């Protein structure tokens, strides 16, 4: 028996056409740092996206599935690129302007970008790289900026507004297959080469629908969304496409990501929902605590990218009446994986505990926990395993190269196609995920896992310990055992036995470390995370003064 | 360039597995008319849906794509059928228990239902038909009821609970193709044979996502949804599947659809959102006005099925604090077509005007208005045309027969595949649809359309007119012209010239009827709608006393 439903593909051009007609009056408001923000209606965005597509096809010779890079802040022209480039059948490639120059060049060359749209203020970043980017035939400058550094090379330089001027405001968008590539984003992995994740029209469309559900971020036409999270960071967590689909206006901060201008744009434009990483919100909270601002317009603040400190959640809610929603995801998950809305009918204390978890999965993200021996673990809130996910907006491979072949490193994908997230955690019977470790930081001891993060948290709760980092080290009998490295607070006089006894009251006996070392400070990565690779190497090289307890 | 996304189909079994695990604690609460309602968790529903699937496959020999009919009220067993039958690869066929017996038999035979699940209380409806249903090999009785009338025929009779007892509580759901048939519903057209609409797994999944968006009904895990609209009426407007996807509990009214029990179940179980046709809500409003009940739990009441009287919307909001949301759809649109959330930033008066419209389309419902000459009309709020829609949950054909061939009557589908809704209306520049007429009731006069409904409303606003019905009659010069038939109020002494002058102050001159007739009453259909077919025939047969004004 055949379905009698129409066979209509899920495409970005449908989001574009819908938003620019049914919600043509909604606006993309770009902060300019001046008295008046810049405003463009969705209807205008639709017309200009069509003009951009005409320019790319007719003048810059961009064909189907070819990559167009964007090195841009969050602003309305970036929105035009977001919608126009996939709609014409090309692929939007957002470039992370915070990457080291050599990584950025590697990524552009791997993706073989044909065109790069660059904000004028970011020319100093692009210009020195340009000679190393042979595939880039055209650079399109958006907004003011000194173009001289771009001149004289192999790439032709264009002005965005001049390129669009006079083009037709309608484009007969091709009927692309919904599984065709629409957007490309590289993970900036700390180890190995960056890996490209290619989103399809289908995945972006389904993800947008999910973002707009009440169990996720519930964007509606009455909302103004403020994506502080950059548009080069997993599509600003899907907010631009989702907002255009729902008819929610967008407040774009452009390059004004400091606490003071953020507070000012919130007070002036009155967005209803914002999204950013904890560092940004931490800065804003301090700003709000120091200078009274009317930010009650924000009913929801979405925090993701890394775990949110509970004090930050409580600070926003208790001092400023803003509800913080914790979310988890990654480049490979588009990124919406979990959202931490607490269940109904729980006490306030329980509610805070639920809100501190990574949250629950939507129907389109199927999850399982895999234990040390490869077995599937129960959702009992205690069994810890590596999280694997599956679904229509989850990566099943990486972009493999010039021929578009798929790359499936076995440490990233299970044989049956599930994504190995590299995160270790538990899931409660009612579906709430709590992440405790990165898989590479877990200690695999005799077929059981020991959480390095749990040990660290307990150690750091001791008044004599300033910092603690626990890493796995090889052990003949158990495979791996924990090595506890601690930084003592000034003047603390502590023995390892005392610390082990302190831990012994809090964790199972078999988890207690035998190997201990005091270190002057924990080595950190460039973004301030514990750099456990360094500790493991120092241990292997005998550079640590390790005491073995019997 | 290929997308690197996983190729995971959108299926009902995913909704089932998700709801019964992540939201396993949510409940389906069935009203029983007794002190205690019946409660089943989503986890139990999941296990019982698996048992049902085992029974259907192993004992009743139901194969892939075979139809299983349900003649049931809204209750938890119907929910098990809703999820289990499509998940196993069979097709759920909901039977409308309000249809005349001959139509019901015609539909079962056309669909070739192999099994019928019937509530015990509905056996008196099914038993007399059963001898005429040769394809039905099994009848499964759900709940108490006298089974004797079913005995002795060609169909074997089973008890639902006995059939499920002891079956495995897990079913290895097949990976069905997302475009495969999942559910079947027949339109009960007033003209011609009923027509079957076959929903796919994909269409049900996408529709559920849309129902849960903030711009639609925003179901979340904190909600309890009350679908008063029957589950045989376009899948209860998608609420059961959507609630299972979102983890929203369901309050099922079973056969207790009268105002008093509805008010009681709302007060007791405290649902947060309800959905029904205007007649039901009208009854509930009267009940609430007469007997004070605490129904403040309902934040939203969805009204659809036919246009909602503004007094009903205001009554709920102003007297009981319940927000009424107007929605439009039809069997062929799954049914979500439009939802009337007003835009932000309008006055209270404007807000009411927006809320009285049919509302705005979601991204997955593409709309166009087609004028009398087949031309596409602008969205200017005044140009009236027939509404045509397109999208992944919109029918592109009807179920054609035993071979499953598609049926595409040209009056129902445009040559390029859009659904002709048969509804005539306008769309504002900001995307709000207002329906004014059924296409068959519009008067096509000299290449322009005259709204019969508009003429009727103006005529009925005259104190001397009790009822008015306007129909199109053939005209040599203009093709069609309006014939105005009026029922005068008792004692009214009016001339046609007076009525025409009254109309002339309200509508354009060329729309004024020349043909007039006073009639004793407007002929009505069995459900109380104006039966214009009868008037047109009476005019053609010369049975009306028509006056022609110069």
């Amino acid at each position: 028996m055949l379905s009698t439903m129409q066979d209509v593909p899920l495409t970005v051009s449908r989001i574009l056409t819908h938003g620019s007609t049914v919600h043509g009056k909604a606006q993309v408001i770009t902060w300019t740092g001046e008295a008046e923000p810049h405003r463009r209606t969705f209807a205008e965005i639709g017309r200009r996206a069509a003009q951009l597509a005409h320019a790319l096809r007719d003048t810059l010779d961009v064909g189907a599935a070819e990559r167009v890079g964007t090195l841009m802040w969050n602003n309305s022209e970036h929105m035009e690129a977001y919608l126009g480039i996939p709609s014409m059948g090309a692929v939007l490639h957002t470039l992370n302007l915070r990457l080291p120059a050599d990584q950025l060049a590697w990524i552009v060359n791997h993706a073989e970008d044909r065109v790069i749209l660059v904000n004028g203020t970011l020319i100093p970043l692009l210009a020195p790289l340009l000679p190393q980017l042979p595939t880039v035939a055209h650079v399109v400058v958006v907004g003011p900026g000194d173009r001289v550094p771009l001149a004289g090379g192999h790439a032709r330089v264009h002005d965005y507004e001049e390129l669009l001027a006079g083009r037709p405001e309608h484009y007969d968008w091709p009927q692309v297959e919904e599984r065709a590539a629409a957007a490309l984003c590289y993970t900036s992995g700390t180890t190995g080469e960056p890996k490209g994740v290619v989103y399809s029209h289908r995945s972006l469309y389904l993800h947008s629908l999910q973002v707009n559900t009440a169990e996720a971020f519930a964007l509606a036409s009455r909302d103004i969304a403020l994506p502080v999270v950059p548009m080069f960071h997993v599509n600003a967590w899907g907010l631009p496409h989702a907002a255009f689909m729902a008819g929610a206006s967008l407040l774009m901060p452009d390059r004004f990501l400091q606490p003071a201008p953020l507070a000012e744009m919130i007070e002036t434009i009155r967005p209803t929902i914002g999204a950013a990483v904890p560092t940004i919100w931490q800065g804003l909270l301090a700003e709000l605590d120091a200078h009274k601002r009317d930010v009650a317009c924000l009913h929801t603040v979405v925090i993701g990218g890394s775990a949110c400190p509970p004090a930050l959640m409580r600070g926003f809610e208790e001092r400023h009446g803003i509800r913080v929603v914790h979310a988890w995801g990654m480049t490979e998950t588009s990124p919406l994986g979990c959202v931490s809305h607490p269940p109904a009918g729980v006490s306030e204390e329980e509610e805070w505990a639920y809100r501190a978890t990574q949250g629950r999965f939507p129907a389109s993200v199927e999850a399982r926990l895999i234990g040390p021996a490869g077995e599937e673990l129960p959702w009992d809130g205690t069994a810890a395993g590596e999280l694997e996910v599956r679904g229509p907006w989850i990566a099943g491979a990486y972009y493999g190269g010039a021929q578009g072949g798929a790359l499936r490193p076995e440490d990233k994908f299970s044989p049956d196609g599930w994504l190995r997230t590299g995160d270790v955690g538990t899931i409660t019977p009612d579906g709430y995920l709590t992440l405790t470790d990165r898989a590479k930081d877990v200690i695999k001891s005799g077929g059981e896992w020991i959480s390095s993060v749990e040990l660290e948290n307990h150690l750091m709760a001791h008044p004599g310990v300033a910092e603690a980092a626990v890493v796995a080290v090889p052990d003949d009998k158990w495979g791996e055992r924990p090595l506890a490295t601690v930084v003592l607070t000034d003047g603390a006089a502590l023995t390892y036995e005392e610390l082990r006894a302190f831990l012994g009251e809090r964790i199972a006996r078999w988890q207690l470390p035998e190997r201990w070392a005091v270190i002057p400070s924990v080595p950190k990565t460039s973004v301030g995370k514990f750099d456990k690779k360094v500790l493991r190497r120092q241990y292997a090289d005998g550079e640590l003064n390790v005491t073995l307890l019997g």
Side-chain angles (χ1 to χ4, degrees), chain A:
Chain A
M1 181 179 221
L2 299 173
S3 146
T4 62
M5 293 291 109
Q6 298 179 10
D7 194 7
V8 174
L10 311 175
T11 61
V12 173
S13 65
R14 179 84 279 272
I15 297 176
L16 170 55
T17 305
H18 172 72
S20 58
T21 54
V22 169
H23 299 288
K25 285 182 176 178
Q27 295 185 345
V28 177
I29 305 154
T30 305
W31 196 249
T32 57
E34 304 184 5
E36 276 303 308
H38 176 266
R39 291 172 186 269
R40 224 165 243 157
T41 65
F42 281 14
E44 288 173 289
I45 297 280
R47 291 193 289 270
R48 288 169 53 90
Q51 290 182 313
L52 172 60
H54 280 289
L56 290 174
R57 185 187 65 185
D58 301 340
T59 302
L60 308 194
D61 203 24
V62 171
E66 286 193 314
R67 272 72 71 198
V68 178
T70 56
L71 190 66
M72 296 174 74
W73 301 104
N74 292 12
N75 49 43
S76 62
E77 291 81 9
H78 208 169
M79 191 73 199
E80 290 155 16
Y82 250 56
L83 296 164
I85 292 167
S87 291
M88 70 179 282
V91 179
L92 171 83
H93 178 200
T94 49
L95 296 167
N96 183 342
L97 55 89
R98 305 216 188 281
L99 287 184
D102 59 336
Q103 249 188 68
L104 204 51
W106 189 96
I107 286 173
V108 171
N109 288 329
H110 188 261
E112 299 175 283
D113 291 340
R114 179 164 180 81
V115 176
I116 291 180
L117 309 189
V118 61
N119 271 136
T121 51
L122 295 170
I123 290 173
L125 205 63
L126 179 64
L129 297 182
L130 203 49
Q132 310 162 39
L133 310 176
T135 66
V136 177
H138 302 275
V139 173
V140 181
V141 179
V142 184
D146 178 11
R147 282 125 218 257
V148 172
L150 295 170
H154 64 283
R156 279 185 58 199
V157 180
H158 309 262
D159 176 80
Y160 186 79
E161 293 302 329
E162 285 172 18
L163 201 60
L164 266 58
R167 308 262 176 191
E169 295 182 338
H170 175 84
Y171 193 105
D172 197 7
W173 304 117
Q175 278 282 343
V176 299
E177 208 277 317
E178 70 183 39
R179 285 174 172 81
L184 171 60
C185 190
Y186 280 76
T187 63
S188 48
T190 46
T191 54
E193 289 169 346
K195 293 180 183 67
V197 175
V198 187
Y199 307 108
S200 64
H201 287 264
R202 172 181 167 95
S203 73
L204 293 178
Y205 195 100
L206 290 169
H207 188 268
S208 301
L209 269 169
Q210 184 62 43
V211 166
N212 293 337
T213 62
E215 278 292 292
F217 308 146
L219 289 190
S221 61
R222 302 179 83 87
D223 282 306
I224 301 177
L226 167 61
V228 186
V229 51
M231 290 170 81
F232 54 75
H233 188 158
V234 211
N235 301 320
W237 300 350
L239 288 176
H241 291 123
F244 221 78
M245 182 183 261
S249 288
L250 283 157
L251 169 57
M252 297 294 203
D254 202 80
R255 63 192 186 280
F256 304 97
L257 304 176
Q258 308 74 30
L262 280 178
E264 192 186 342
M265 72 181 77
I266 293 168
E267 193 166 43
T268 311
I269 309 293
R270 309 197 64 68
T272 54
I273 176 166
V277 294
T279 318
I280 293 276
W281 292 131
Q282 201 91 57
L284 182 68
L285 182 62
E287 169 76 18
L288 295 178
D289 287 346
H291 309 95
K292 189 64 198 156
R293 295 276 196 171
D294 176 9
V295 296
C297 53
L298 278 174
H299 59 68
T300 304
V301 150
V302 179
I303 295 202
S306 55
C308 175
L312 181 58
M313 298 181 84
R314 284 185 181 266
F316 267 111
E317 179 134 343
E318 291 168 2
R319 298 202 292 280
H320 304 282
I322 298 172
R323 189 173 183 83
V324 172
V325 174
H326 202 194
W328 169 83
M330 50 203 293
T331 305
E332 291 87 341
T333 65
S334 289
L336 209 154
C338 285
V339 185
S340 74
H341 293 293
V346 297
S347 71
E348 199 188 321
E349 195 185 342
E350 289 169 321
E351 189 166 320
W352 278 109
Y354 275 112
R355 288 174 60 190
T357 71
Q358 267 66 33
R360 285 206 269 211
F361 305 94
S364 300
V365 180
E366 198 174 355
R368 66 185 183 194
L369 291 179
I370 302 298
E375 78 283 20
E376 195 170 338
L377 298 177
W379 292 14
D380 59 8
T382 56
E386 181 175 356
L387 175 67
E388 296 192 357
V389 290
R390 179 174 182 267
W393 61 71
I394 310 289
Y398 291 111
Y399 178 53
Q403 281 70 45
L407 188 74
R408 281 190 49 170
E410 63 175 20
D411 61 329
K412 289 291 192 170
F413 302 97
S414 70
D416 56 352
W418 292 55
L419 173 72
R420 293 181 164 154
T421 63
D423 282 319
V424 169
T426 60
I427 301 177
T428 59
D430 51 351
Y432 284 84
L433 171 73
T434 298
L435 294 180
T436 52
D437 289 87
R438 288 291 296 168
K440 62 178 168 35
D441 293 335
V442 149
I443 298 122
K444 293 151 191 105
S445 171
E448 298 283 346
W449 280 358
I450 300 173
S451 163
S452 64
V453 173
E454 193 186 351
L455 293 186
E456 289 161 5
N457 286 343
H458 285 307
L459 285 169
M460 287 193 280
H462 191 290
V465 176
E467 282 186 327
V470 177
V471 297
V473 296
D475 183 276
D476 286 344
K477 183 170 178 192
W478 300 104
E480 289 181 357
R481 287 298 295 164
L483 159 69
T485 67
V486 291
V487 180
L488 299 182
T489 51
D490 286 346
L494 270 174
T495 66
Y496 293 127
E497 283 79 5
E498 283 173 309
L499 280 175
R500 190 166 63 163
F502 181 80
L503 269 191
E505 293 164 18
R506 287 159 179 83
I507 60 170
R509 193 178 163 72
W510 63 272
Q511 299 181 328
L512 288 175
E514 299 81 23
R515 296 168 181 84
W516 293 80
V518 167
I519 54 176
S521 67
V522 176
K524 309 267 183 358
T525 66
S526 59
V527 295
K529 292 186 182 178
F530 285 5
D531 195 343
K532 298 194 178 179
K533 279 196 311 293
V534 173
L535 284 173
R536 280 189 287 261
R537 188 185 46 71
Q538 289 176 338
Y539 177 81
D541 294 351
E543 293 173 12
L544 296 177
N545 181 16
V546 175
T547 297
L548 194 69
L549 299 188

